[in-house]
Amino acid sequence: MRIAVFGTGGVGGYFGGRLAQAGEEVIFIARGQHLQALQTHGLKVESVKGDFVVHPVQATATPDEVGVVDVVLVGVKAWQVPEAAQAIGPLIGPETMVVPLQNGVDAPAQLAAVLGPKPVIGGVCGILSFVAGPGHIRHVGADPFVNFGELDNRSSDRVKRLHQAFAQATGATAEVPADIHVAMWRKFLLIVSWSGIGAITRAPVGIFRSLPQTRQLLQQTMQEVFDVAHARNIALPDDIIDKTLAFMDSLPPGGTASMQRDIIAGRPSELETQNGAVVRLGQEVGVETPLNAFIYHMLLPLELKARGQVEFTI
Protein backbone atom coordinates (compact mmCIF):
# COMPACT_ATOMS: atom_id res chain seq x y z
CA MET A 1 0.00 0.00 0.00
CA ARG A 2 1.01 3.61 -0.53
CA ILE A 3 0.70 5.26 2.87
CA ALA A 4 1.15 8.91 3.83
CA VAL A 5 1.87 9.74 7.46
CA PHE A 6 0.60 13.26 8.08
CA GLY A 7 2.36 14.31 11.27
CA THR A 8 5.54 12.36 12.02
CA GLY A 9 5.55 12.64 15.80
CA GLY A 10 5.62 9.95 18.45
CA VAL A 11 2.55 8.23 16.99
CA GLY A 12 2.95 8.77 13.24
CA GLY A 13 6.70 8.25 13.33
CA TYR A 14 6.43 4.98 15.22
CA PHE A 15 3.58 3.31 13.35
CA GLY A 16 4.66 4.70 9.99
CA GLY A 17 8.17 3.50 10.70
CA ARG A 18 6.97 0.00 11.51
CA LEU A 19 4.98 -0.13 8.26
CA ALA A 20 8.01 1.10 6.28
CA GLN A 21 10.18 -1.47 8.05
CA ALA A 22 7.72 -4.14 6.87
CA GLY A 23 8.12 -3.05 3.25
CA GLU A 24 5.14 -0.76 2.71
CA GLU A 25 5.68 2.45 0.71
CA VAL A 26 5.43 5.13 3.39
CA ILE A 27 5.78 8.86 2.80
CA PHE A 28 6.32 10.98 5.91
CA ILE A 29 4.98 14.53 5.96
CA ALA A 30 6.94 16.64 8.43
CA ARG A 31 8.59 20.04 8.67
CA GLY A 32 11.59 21.96 9.98
CA GLN A 33 14.60 20.19 11.48
CA HIS A 34 12.61 16.99 11.85
CA LEU A 35 12.06 16.90 8.08
CA GLN A 36 15.68 17.72 7.33
CA ALA A 37 16.88 14.90 9.58
CA LEU A 38 14.48 12.42 7.97
CA GLN A 39 15.68 13.36 4.50
CA THR A 40 19.35 13.23 5.48
CA HIS A 41 19.70 10.43 8.00
CA GLY A 42 16.39 8.57 7.83
CA LEU A 43 14.03 7.73 10.67
CA LYS A 44 15.57 6.39 13.88
CA VAL A 45 13.25 4.61 16.31
CA GLU A 46 14.34 3.54 19.79
CA SER A 47 11.79 1.08 21.12
CA VAL A 48 11.29 -1.37 23.93
CA LYS A 49 10.06 -3.62 21.11
CA GLY A 50 13.39 -3.33 19.27
CA ASP A 51 15.32 -0.41 17.79
CA PHE A 52 15.42 0.17 14.04
CA VAL A 53 16.30 2.73 11.38
CA VAL A 54 14.42 3.39 8.14
CA HIS A 55 16.84 4.78 5.56
CA PRO A 56 16.40 6.17 3.02
CA VAL A 57 13.07 7.80 3.84
CA GLN A 58 10.51 9.44 1.61
CA ALA A 59 9.71 12.69 3.42
CA THR A 60 8.35 16.07 2.44
CA ALA A 61 6.58 19.10 3.86
CA THR A 62 4.28 19.41 0.86
CA PRO A 63 1.35 17.01 0.28
CA ASP A 64 1.14 18.25 -3.34
CA GLU A 65 4.46 16.52 -3.99
CA VAL A 66 3.06 13.20 -2.80
CA GLY A 67 -0.14 12.91 -4.78
CA VAL A 68 -2.90 10.39 -4.19
CA VAL A 69 -2.24 7.60 -1.68
CA ASP A 70 -4.14 4.55 -0.47
CA VAL A 71 -4.06 5.53 3.20
CA VAL A 72 -3.44 8.68 5.21
CA LEU A 73 -2.48 8.09 8.83
CA VAL A 74 -3.23 11.35 10.64
CA GLY A 75 -0.71 11.66 13.46
CA VAL A 76 -0.96 15.33 14.42
CA LYS A 77 -2.15 16.54 17.83
CA ALA A 78 -5.92 16.51 18.26
CA TRP A 79 -6.16 20.30 18.24
CA GLN A 80 -4.36 20.37 14.87
CA VAL A 81 -6.85 18.12 13.06
CA PRO A 82 -9.02 20.88 11.50
CA GLU A 83 -5.94 22.52 9.99
CA ALA A 84 -4.56 19.16 8.87
CA ALA A 85 -7.84 18.33 7.15
CA GLN A 86 -7.40 21.39 4.93
CA ALA A 87 -3.89 20.30 3.94
CA ILE A 88 -4.67 16.61 3.32
CA GLY A 89 -6.74 17.27 0.18
CA PRO A 90 -4.01 16.55 -2.42
CA LEU A 91 -3.53 13.08 -0.93
CA ILE A 92 -7.15 12.04 -1.41
CA GLY A 93 -8.39 9.99 -4.35
CA PRO A 94 -11.61 8.00 -4.90
CA GLU A 95 -10.37 5.04 -2.84
CA THR A 96 -8.20 6.80 -0.23
CA MET A 97 -8.80 5.97 3.41
CA VAL A 98 -8.08 8.56 6.12
CA VAL A 99 -7.31 7.11 9.56
CA PRO A 100 -7.23 9.48 12.55
CA LEU A 101 -5.04 8.29 15.43
CA GLN A 102 -5.66 11.16 17.84
CA ASN A 103 -6.57 11.15 21.48
CA GLY A 104 -10.23 12.08 21.80
CA VAL A 105 -13.33 11.32 19.76
CA ASP A 106 -13.77 14.46 17.63
CA ALA A 107 -11.34 13.79 14.78
CA PRO A 108 -13.52 11.70 12.41
CA ALA A 109 -16.25 14.35 12.29
CA GLN A 110 -13.69 17.15 11.89
CA LEU A 111 -12.03 15.36 8.97
CA ALA A 112 -15.34 14.48 7.33
CA ALA A 113 -16.50 18.10 7.55
CA VAL A 114 -13.66 19.06 5.20
CA LEU A 115 -12.98 15.91 3.16
CA GLY A 116 -16.48 14.47 3.03
CA PRO A 117 -17.56 11.30 4.82
CA LYS A 118 -16.39 8.72 2.25
CA PRO A 119 -12.64 8.64 2.95
CA VAL A 120 -12.82 8.88 6.74
CA ILE A 121 -12.85 5.87 9.04
CA GLY A 122 -12.51 5.63 12.81
CA GLY A 123 -9.16 5.02 14.44
CA VAL A 124 -7.42 4.90 17.78
CA CYS A 125 -3.98 3.85 18.97
CA GLY A 126 -2.05 3.25 22.15
CA ILE A 127 1.66 3.88 22.75
CA LEU A 128 4.00 5.78 25.06
CA SER A 129 6.31 7.55 22.62
CA PHE A 130 7.62 10.99 21.71
CA VAL A 131 10.04 12.85 19.47
CA ALA A 132 13.43 12.58 21.18
CA GLY A 133 15.15 14.78 18.58
CA PRO A 134 15.07 15.55 14.86
CA GLY A 135 14.36 12.33 12.99
CA HIS A 136 14.36 10.37 16.24
CA ILE A 137 11.34 8.69 17.87
CA ARG A 138 11.55 7.08 21.30
CA HIS A 139 9.03 4.43 22.40
CA VAL A 140 9.33 3.95 26.15
CA GLY A 141 6.40 1.80 27.20
CA ALA A 142 3.04 0.10 26.55
CA ASP A 143 2.41 -2.47 23.84
CA PRO A 144 1.73 -0.42 20.70
CA PHE A 145 -1.66 -1.08 19.13
CA VAL A 146 -3.88 0.37 16.43
CA ASN A 147 -7.64 -0.13 16.09
CA PHE A 148 -9.54 1.09 13.04
CA GLY A 149 -12.80 0.45 11.24
CA GLU A 150 -15.58 1.91 9.14
CA LEU A 151 -17.66 4.41 11.08
CA ASP A 152 -20.80 2.35 10.42
CA ASN A 153 -18.92 -0.79 11.57
CA ARG A 154 -19.45 -2.61 8.27
CA SER A 155 -16.77 -4.88 6.84
CA SER A 156 -14.83 -3.37 3.92
CA ASP A 157 -12.00 -4.42 1.64
CA ARG A 158 -10.00 -1.26 2.30
CA VAL A 159 -9.99 -1.87 6.04
CA LYS A 160 -8.98 -5.49 5.44
CA ARG A 161 -6.05 -4.39 3.27
CA LEU A 162 -4.77 -2.01 5.93
CA HIS A 163 -5.16 -4.70 8.57
CA GLN A 164 -3.08 -7.05 6.43
CA ALA A 165 -0.38 -4.38 6.07
CA PHE A 166 -0.16 -3.95 9.82
CA ALA A 167 -0.11 -7.73 10.28
CA GLN A 168 3.24 -7.80 8.47
CA ALA A 169 4.74 -5.17 10.80
CA THR A 170 6.62 -6.10 13.97
CA GLY A 171 6.31 -4.12 17.17
CA ALA A 172 2.63 -3.25 16.74
CA THR A 173 -0.69 -5.07 16.79
CA ALA A 174 -3.74 -4.08 14.79
CA GLU A 175 -7.37 -4.96 15.29
CA VAL A 176 -10.64 -4.19 13.54
CA PRO A 177 -13.03 -4.05 16.50
CA ALA A 178 -16.70 -4.94 16.29
CA ASP A 179 -17.56 -1.34 17.20
CA ILE A 180 -14.94 1.32 16.43
CA HIS A 181 -16.83 3.93 18.48
CA VAL A 182 -16.58 1.78 21.60
CA ALA A 183 -12.86 1.35 20.94
CA MET A 184 -12.37 5.11 20.58
CA TRP A 185 -14.31 5.89 23.77
CA ARG A 186 -12.45 3.16 25.65
CA LYS A 187 -9.18 5.00 24.91
CA PHE A 188 -10.89 8.35 25.58
CA LEU A 189 -11.84 7.22 29.09
CA LEU A 190 -8.22 6.26 29.77
CA ILE A 191 -6.46 9.29 28.33
CA VAL A 192 -8.84 11.92 29.70
CA SER A 193 -8.35 10.71 33.26
CA TRP A 194 -4.60 10.19 32.89
CA SER A 195 -4.02 13.54 31.19
CA GLY A 196 -6.24 15.54 33.49
CA ILE A 197 -5.06 14.15 36.81
CA GLY A 198 -1.48 14.07 35.59
CA ALA A 199 -1.58 17.71 34.51
CA ILE A 200 -3.22 18.88 37.74
CA THR A 201 -0.83 16.95 40.00
CA ARG A 202 2.22 17.31 37.74
CA ALA A 203 3.12 13.79 38.84
CA PRO A 204 3.80 10.62 36.83
CA VAL A 205 1.27 7.83 36.70
CA GLY A 206 3.08 5.76 39.33
CA ILE A 207 2.42 8.45 41.92
CA PHE A 208 -1.17 9.48 41.32
CA ARG A 209 -2.41 5.92 40.76
CA SER A 210 -0.94 4.93 44.15
CA LEU A 211 -2.18 7.71 46.42
CA PRO A 212 -5.74 6.90 47.58
CA GLN A 213 -6.85 10.51 47.16
CA THR A 214 -5.74 10.90 43.54
CA ARG A 215 -6.74 7.33 42.64
CA GLN A 216 -10.26 8.25 43.70
CA LEU A 217 -10.11 11.26 41.39
CA LEU A 218 -9.06 8.94 38.55
CA GLN A 219 -12.11 6.79 39.16
CA GLN A 220 -14.43 9.79 39.35
CA THR A 221 -13.06 11.24 36.11
CA MET A 222 -13.56 7.90 34.37
CA GLN A 223 -17.09 7.57 35.73
CA GLU A 224 -18.06 10.90 34.18
CA VAL A 225 -16.71 9.78 30.78
CA PHE A 226 -18.60 6.50 31.16
CA ASP A 227 -21.86 8.35 31.94
CA VAL A 228 -21.46 10.65 28.94
CA ALA A 229 -20.70 7.70 26.66
CA HIS A 230 -23.83 5.83 27.68
CA ALA A 231 -25.97 8.92 27.28
CA ARG A 232 -24.61 9.14 23.74
CA ASN A 233 -25.43 5.45 23.08
CA ILE A 234 -21.81 4.29 23.19
CA ALA A 235 -21.93 0.81 24.71
CA LEU A 236 -18.88 0.85 26.95
CA PRO A 237 -18.81 -2.34 29.05
CA ASP A 238 -19.77 -2.10 32.69
CA ASP A 239 -16.33 -3.22 33.87
CA ILE A 240 -14.39 -0.68 31.80
CA ILE A 241 -13.34 1.47 34.77
CA ASP A 242 -11.92 -1.46 36.71
CA LYS A 243 -10.09 -2.71 33.62
CA THR A 244 -8.72 0.75 32.83
CA LEU A 245 -7.41 1.18 36.35
CA ALA A 246 -5.78 -2.25 36.13
CA PHE A 247 -4.14 -1.23 32.86
CA MET A 248 -2.86 1.98 34.43
CA ASP A 249 -1.42 -0.09 37.28
CA SER A 250 0.62 -2.01 34.68
CA LEU A 251 2.22 1.06 33.13
CA PRO A 252 5.82 2.12 33.86
CA PRO A 253 5.65 4.27 37.03
CA GLY A 254 7.39 7.20 35.36
CA GLY A 255 4.88 7.36 32.50
CA THR A 256 3.28 10.66 31.55
CA ALA A 257 0.58 11.60 29.04
CA SER A 258 1.30 13.90 26.11
CA MET A 259 -1.26 16.52 27.21
CA GLN A 260 0.30 16.50 30.67
CA ARG A 261 3.79 17.02 29.22
CA ASP A 262 2.61 19.82 26.94
CA ILE A 263 0.90 21.74 29.74
CA ILE A 264 3.88 21.40 32.07
CA ALA A 265 6.20 22.59 29.29
CA GLY A 266 3.99 25.58 28.47
CA ARG A 267 3.01 24.30 25.03
CA PRO A 268 -0.47 24.25 23.46
CA SER A 269 -2.17 21.03 24.48
CA GLU A 270 -5.18 18.79 23.82
CA LEU A 271 -7.10 20.19 26.79
CA GLU A 272 -10.08 21.23 24.63
CA THR A 273 -10.35 17.80 22.99
CA GLN A 274 -9.89 15.84 26.20
CA ASN A 275 -11.34 17.16 29.48
CA GLY A 276 -12.93 20.07 27.64
CA ALA A 277 -14.61 17.65 25.24
CA VAL A 278 -16.05 15.61 28.12
CA VAL A 279 -17.69 18.79 29.44
CA ARG A 280 -18.98 19.81 26.00
CA LEU A 281 -20.24 16.35 25.02
CA GLY A 282 -21.88 15.96 28.43
CA GLN A 283 -23.70 19.28 28.10
CA GLU A 284 -25.09 18.18 24.73
CA VAL A 285 -26.88 15.22 26.37
CA GLY A 286 -27.64 16.74 29.76
CA VAL A 287 -24.97 14.87 31.76
CA GLU A 288 -23.11 16.81 34.43
CA THR A 289 -19.33 16.36 34.56
CA PRO A 290 -18.19 18.42 37.58
CA LEU A 291 -14.72 16.91 38.01
CA ASN A 292 -13.80 17.19 34.34
CA ALA A 293 -15.17 20.73 34.39
CA PHE A 294 -12.96 21.53 37.39
CA ILE A 295 -9.88 20.09 35.66
CA TYR A 296 -10.67 21.93 32.44
CA HIS A 297 -11.28 25.27 34.12
CA MET A 298 -8.21 25.01 36.36
CA LEU A 299 -5.91 24.25 33.42
CA LEU A 300 -7.51 26.75 31.04
CA PRO A 301 -5.36 29.75 32.10
CA LEU A 302 -2.18 27.81 31.29
CA GLU A 303 -3.66 26.68 27.97
CA LEU A 304 -4.60 30.24 26.99
CA LYS A 305 -1.14 31.45 28.03
CA ALA A 306 0.50 28.81 25.85
CA ARG A 307 -1.60 30.00 22.92
CA GLY A 308 -0.72 33.66 23.51
CA GLN A 309 -4.28 34.64 24.42
CA VAL A 310 -3.45 35.79 27.96
CA GLU A 311 -0.22 36.90 29.59
CA PHE A 312 0.94 36.37 33.16
CA THR A 313 4.00 35.27 35.10
CA ILE A 314 4.21 32.77 37.96
Side-chain angles (χ1 to χ4, degrees):
M1 301 186 81
R2 194 163 191 258
I3 301 168
V5 175
F6 194 98
T8 311
V11 168
Y14 182 84
F15 290 110
R18 287 298 187 185
L19 288 166
Q21 184 189 30
E24 301 294 338
E25 181 184 0
V26 180
I27 306 99
F28 296 93
I29 298 174
R31 57 188 178 184
Q33 293 183 341
H34 198 42
L35 173 60
Q36 293 174 6
L38 290 171
Q39 293 173 329
T40 305
H41 304 294
L43 174 67
K44 176 183 178 181
V45 178
E46 285 183 89
S47 171
V48 296
K49 293 291 185 178
D51 301 344
F52 65 98
V53 175
V54 180
H55 185 67
V57 162
Q58 294 188 64
T60 180
T62 310
D64 287 319
E65 296 179 358
V66 179
V68 172
V69 297
D70 298 307
V71 179
V72 182
L73 298 181
V74 185
V76 300
K77 298 284 190 179
W79 58 271
Q80 297 171 316
V81 169
E83 180 182 357
Q86 299 290 337
I88 284 171
L91 305 171
I92 306 301
E95 303 302 324
T96 303
M97 178 170 47
V98 180
V99 188
L101 296 177
Q102 284 65 41
N103 294 320
V105 294
D106 293 328
Q110 292 173 332
L111 291 165
V114 176
L115 303 172
K118 182 180 177 182
V120 181
I121 70 170
V124 63
C125 71
I127 187 172
L128 291 178
S129 59
F130 55 89
V131 177
H136 181 187
I137 305 299
R138 182 171 294 148
H139 164 222
V140 296
D143 290 331
F145 74 86
V146 182
N147 291 173
F148 46 83
E150 300 288 352
L151 290 170
D152 60 3
N153 291 316
R154 63 184 170 83
S155 177
S156 72
D157 290 338
R158 64 180 185 174
V159 166
K160 290 178 182 177
R161 288 196 299 272
L162 182 58
H163 186 256
Q164 290 169 355
F166 268 106
Q168 303 305 310
T170 60
T173 59
E175 180 182 348
V176 180
D179 189 325
I180 188 60
H181 299 281
V182 169
M184 291 171 63
W185 276 81
R186 186 188 300 269
K187 168 69 180 297
F188 191 47
L189 183 143
L190 164 69
I191 200 63
V192 161
S193 56
W194 184 357
S195 297
I197 303 304
I200 286 285
T201 62
R202 299 199 166 205
V205 65
I207 298 298
F208 62 74
R209 73 188 178 197
S210 301
L211 295 172
Q213 297 90 338
T214 46
R215 190 176 183 89
Q216 183 179 11
L217 293 179
L218 274 176
Q219 291 176 291
Q220 292 174 350
T221 309
M222 292 177 190
Q223 185 64 54
E224 290 181 4
V225 177
F226 181 89
D227 293 342
V228 173
H230 272 247
R232 300 183 74 89
N233 297 315
I234 306 296
L236 287 176
D238 291 338
D239 62 354
I240 184 64
I241 294 175
D242 289 340
K243 286 187 173 180
T244 303
L245 285 168
F247 172 75
M248 295 188 77
D249 288 338
S250 73
L251 293 171
T256 55
S258 60
M259 186 190 102
Q260 173 186 8
R261 295 193 298 271
D262 287 340
I263 287 177
I264 291 172
R267 297 187 294 259
S269 80
E270 295 181 341
L271 180 63
E272 289 288 346
T273 52
Q274 292 196 35
N275 302 94
V278 176
V279 177
R280 168 173 47 83
L281 295 170
Q283 289 173 339
E284 290 176 359
V285 290
V287 175
E288 294 186 359
T289 54
L291 183 51
N292 277 282
F294 172 80
I295 293 169
Y296 171 62
H297 294 149
M298 291 299 290
L299 295 174
L300 188 58
L302 292 173
E303 182 69 22
L304 296 178
K305 183 175 186 285
R307 296 178 180 275
Q309 297 178 27
V310 299
E311 295 184 9
F312 59 89
T313 57
I314 51 176

